[in-house]
Short mmCIF file of all heavy atoms in Angstrom, two decimals:
data_model
loop_
_atom_site.label_atom_id
_atom_site.label_comp_id
_atom_site.label_asym_id
_atom_site.label_seq_id
_atom_site.Cartn_x
_atom_site.Cartn_y
_atom_site.Cartn_z
N ILE A 1311 -9.64 5.29 0.90
CA ILE A 1311 -8.21 5.24 1.21
C ILE A 1311 -7.63 3.87 0.90
O ILE A 1311 -6.50 3.76 0.41
CB ILE A 1311 -7.98 5.64 2.67
CG1 ILE A 1311 -8.34 7.11 2.86
CG2 ILE A 1311 -6.53 5.37 3.10
CD1 ILE A 1311 -8.25 7.62 4.27
N TYR A 1312 -8.41 2.83 1.13
CA TYR A 1312 -7.93 1.49 0.81
C TYR A 1312 -7.77 1.31 -0.70
O TYR A 1312 -6.75 0.78 -1.16
CB TYR A 1312 -8.92 0.44 1.35
CG TYR A 1312 -8.48 -1.00 1.09
CD1 TYR A 1312 -7.61 -1.64 1.96
CD2 TYR A 1312 -8.94 -1.70 -0.02
CE1 TYR A 1312 -7.20 -2.95 1.73
CE2 TYR A 1312 -8.54 -2.99 -0.26
CZ TYR A 1312 -7.68 -3.62 0.62
OH TYR A 1312 -7.26 -4.92 0.38
N GLU A 1313 -8.73 1.76 -1.48
CA GLU A 1313 -8.70 1.53 -2.93
C GLU A 1313 -7.91 2.57 -3.70
O GLU A 1313 -7.38 2.27 -4.77
CB GLU A 1313 -10.13 1.47 -3.47
CG GLU A 1313 -10.93 0.28 -2.97
CD GLU A 1313 -12.33 0.22 -3.56
OE1 GLU A 1313 -12.78 1.22 -4.15
OE2 GLU A 1313 -12.98 -0.84 -3.41
N ASN A 1314 -7.83 3.80 -3.17
CA ASN A 1314 -7.15 4.88 -3.89
C ASN A 1314 -6.20 5.65 -2.98
O ASN A 1314 -6.36 6.86 -2.77
CB ASN A 1314 -8.18 5.83 -4.51
CG ASN A 1314 -8.97 5.18 -5.62
OD1 ASN A 1314 -8.41 4.80 -6.64
ND2 ASN A 1314 -10.27 5.05 -5.42
N PRO A 1315 -5.18 4.98 -2.42
CA PRO A 1315 -4.23 5.70 -1.56
C PRO A 1315 -3.41 6.68 -2.38
O PRO A 1315 -3.09 6.42 -3.54
CB PRO A 1315 -3.35 4.56 -1.01
CG PRO A 1315 -3.40 3.51 -2.07
CD PRO A 1315 -4.80 3.56 -2.62
N VAL A 1316 -3.08 7.83 -1.76
CA VAL A 1316 -2.34 8.85 -2.50
C VAL A 1316 -0.83 8.63 -2.42
O VAL A 1316 -0.08 9.30 -3.13
CB VAL A 1316 -2.66 10.26 -1.96
CG1 VAL A 1316 -4.14 10.56 -2.13
CG2 VAL A 1316 -2.26 10.41 -0.49
N SER A 1317 -0.39 7.70 -1.58
CA SER A 1317 1.04 7.48 -1.40
C SER A 1317 1.29 6.08 -0.85
O SER A 1317 0.36 5.39 -0.41
CB SER A 1317 1.62 8.52 -0.44
OG SER A 1317 1.08 8.35 0.87
N VAL A 1318 2.57 5.69 -0.87
CA VAL A 1318 2.97 4.42 -0.25
C VAL A 1318 2.57 4.41 1.21
O VAL A 1318 2.07 3.41 1.74
CB VAL A 1318 4.49 4.21 -0.38
CG1 VAL A 1318 4.96 3.04 0.49
CG2 VAL A 1318 4.88 3.96 -1.83
N TYR A 1319 2.78 5.54 1.88
CA TYR A 1319 2.48 5.63 3.30
C TYR A 1319 1.00 5.41 3.56
O TYR A 1319 0.61 4.63 4.44
CB TYR A 1319 2.91 7.01 3.83
CG TYR A 1319 2.63 7.20 5.30
CD1 TYR A 1319 3.52 6.72 6.26
CD2 TYR A 1319 1.49 7.86 5.73
CE1 TYR A 1319 3.27 6.89 7.60
CE2 TYR A 1319 1.23 8.04 7.07
CZ TYR A 1319 2.12 7.55 8.01
OH TYR A 1319 1.87 7.70 9.34
N ALA A 1320 0.14 6.07 2.80
CA ALA A 1320 -1.30 5.91 2.98
C ALA A 1320 -1.73 4.49 2.68
O ALA A 1320 -2.58 3.92 3.38
CB ALA A 1320 -2.06 6.90 2.10
N ALA A 1321 -1.15 3.89 1.65
CA ALA A 1321 -1.51 2.52 1.28
C ALA A 1321 -1.17 1.53 2.39
O ALA A 1321 -1.88 0.54 2.59
CB ALA A 1321 -0.78 2.12 -0.01
N SER A 1322 -0.10 1.82 3.12
CA SER A 1322 0.35 0.89 4.16
C SER A 1322 -0.45 1.00 5.45
O SER A 1322 -0.33 0.15 6.34
CB SER A 1322 1.84 1.12 4.47
OG SER A 1322 2.02 2.38 5.11
N ARG A 1323 -1.31 2.04 5.58
CA ARG A 1323 -2.06 2.23 6.81
C ARG A 1323 -3.25 1.29 6.93
O ARG A 1323 -3.69 0.98 8.04
CB ARG A 1323 -2.58 3.67 6.90
CG ARG A 1323 -1.54 4.73 7.12
CD ARG A 1323 -0.79 4.55 8.41
NE ARG A 1323 0.54 4.00 8.19
CZ ARG A 1323 1.30 3.46 9.13
NH1 ARG A 1323 0.85 3.33 10.36
NH2 ARG A 1323 2.49 3.01 8.84
N LEU A 1324 -3.83 0.86 5.80
CA LEU A 1324 -5.00 -0.01 5.83
C LEU A 1324 -4.73 -1.28 5.04
O LEU A 1324 -4.08 -1.25 4.00
CB LEU A 1324 -6.22 0.70 5.24
CG LEU A 1324 -6.82 1.85 6.03
CD1 LEU A 1324 -7.97 2.49 5.24
CD2 LEU A 1324 -7.32 1.40 7.39
N GLY A 1325 -5.29 -2.38 5.53
CA GLY A 1325 -5.20 -3.65 4.81
C GLY A 1325 -4.38 -4.69 5.54
O GLY A 1325 -3.28 -4.41 6.00
N GLN A 1326 -4.95 -5.89 5.67
CA GLN A 1326 -4.24 -7.02 6.24
C GLN A 1326 -4.41 -8.22 5.34
O GLN A 1326 -5.55 -8.59 5.04
CB GLN A 1326 -4.78 -7.35 7.66
CG GLN A 1326 -4.36 -6.39 8.74
CD GLN A 1326 -2.86 -6.47 9.04
OE1 GLN A 1326 -2.21 -7.46 8.68
NE2 GLN A 1326 -2.32 -5.45 9.66
N PRO A 1327 -3.31 -8.82 4.86
CA PRO A 1327 -1.93 -8.41 5.09
C PRO A 1327 -1.62 -7.07 4.42
O PRO A 1327 -2.35 -6.63 3.53
CB PRO A 1327 -1.11 -9.54 4.47
CG PRO A 1327 -2.01 -10.16 3.47
CD PRO A 1327 -3.40 -10.03 4.00
N ARG A 1328 -0.52 -6.47 4.85
CA ARG A 1328 -0.15 -5.16 4.34
C ARG A 1328 0.13 -5.23 2.84
O ARG A 1328 0.49 -6.27 2.29
CB ARG A 1328 1.10 -4.63 5.04
CG ARG A 1328 0.84 -4.08 6.41
CD ARG A 1328 2.10 -3.48 7.01
NE ARG A 1328 2.58 -2.32 6.24
CZ ARG A 1328 3.58 -1.55 6.62
NH1 ARG A 1328 4.21 -1.78 7.77
NH2 ARG A 1328 3.95 -0.53 5.89
N VAL A 1329 -0.04 -4.08 2.19
CA VAL A 1329 0.26 -3.97 0.77
C VAL A 1329 1.73 -4.34 0.54
O VAL A 1329 2.62 -3.98 1.33
CB VAL A 1329 -0.04 -2.54 0.26
CG1 VAL A 1329 0.83 -1.50 0.98
CG2 VAL A 1329 0.11 -2.44 -1.24
N ASN A 1330 1.99 -5.07 -0.52
CA ASN A 1330 3.37 -5.41 -0.90
C ASN A 1330 3.94 -4.27 -1.72
O ASN A 1330 3.35 -3.86 -2.73
CB ASN A 1330 3.38 -6.69 -1.76
CG ASN A 1330 2.84 -7.90 -1.02
OD1 ASN A 1330 3.55 -8.52 -0.22
ND2 ASN A 1330 1.58 -8.26 -1.27
N ILE A 1331 5.07 -3.73 -1.31
CA ILE A 1331 5.75 -2.68 -2.06
C ILE A 1331 7.02 -3.27 -2.68
O ILE A 1331 7.92 -3.72 -1.96
CB ILE A 1331 6.11 -1.47 -1.16
CG1 ILE A 1331 4.84 -0.93 -0.49
CG2 ILE A 1331 6.80 -0.39 -1.98
CD1 ILE A 1331 3.79 -0.40 -1.45
N LEU A 1332 7.07 -3.27 -4.01
CA LEU A 1332 8.13 -3.94 -4.75
C LEU A 1332 8.65 -3.01 -5.85
O LEU A 1332 7.99 -2.03 -6.21
CB LEU A 1332 7.57 -5.23 -5.39
CG LEU A 1332 6.90 -6.22 -4.43
CD1 LEU A 1332 6.00 -7.18 -5.21
CD2 LEU A 1332 7.96 -6.99 -3.65
N PRO A 1333 9.84 -3.30 -6.40
CA PRO A 1333 10.33 -2.48 -7.51
C PRO A 1333 9.37 -2.51 -8.69
O PRO A 1333 8.85 -3.58 -9.05
CB PRO A 1333 11.68 -3.15 -7.87
CG PRO A 1333 12.09 -3.87 -6.63
CD PRO A 1333 10.82 -4.34 -5.99
N ALA A 1334 9.13 -1.36 -9.28
CA ALA A 1334 8.14 -1.27 -10.37
C ALA A 1334 8.53 -2.11 -11.56
O ALA A 1334 7.67 -2.62 -12.28
CB ALA A 1334 7.95 0.19 -10.78
N ASP A 1335 9.85 -2.29 -11.80
CA ASP A 1335 10.29 -3.05 -12.97
C ASP A 1335 10.31 -4.56 -12.73
O ASP A 1335 10.75 -5.33 -13.57
CB ASP A 1335 11.67 -2.58 -13.43
CG ASP A 1335 12.75 -2.74 -12.36
OD1 ASP A 1335 12.44 -3.29 -11.27
OD2 ASP A 1335 13.90 -2.30 -12.60
N LEU A 1336 9.81 -4.98 -11.55
CA LEU A 1336 9.74 -6.42 -11.28
C LEU A 1336 8.76 -7.08 -12.24
O LEU A 1336 8.92 -8.23 -12.62
CB LEU A 1336 9.28 -6.65 -9.84
CG LEU A 1336 9.48 -8.03 -9.25
CD1 LEU A 1336 10.95 -8.41 -9.20
CD2 LEU A 1336 8.88 -8.10 -7.85
#
């Protein structure tokens, strides 16, 4: 789940600090 989350929500459940969610075109 940490390495292959199926969604933004799943990605945000594990990991400290939390995964950074940014615009894809950044």
Side-chain angles (χ1 to χ4, degrees):
I1311 293 176
Y1312 181 85
E1313 294 182 347
N1314 292 297
V1316 299
S1317 65
V1318 169
Y1319 180 83
S1322 68
R1323 290 299 104 196
L1324 290 176
Q1326 285 292 342
R1328 282 185 64 173
V1329 62
N1330 298 280
I1331 303 298
L1332 305 161
D1335 60 4
L1336 196 61

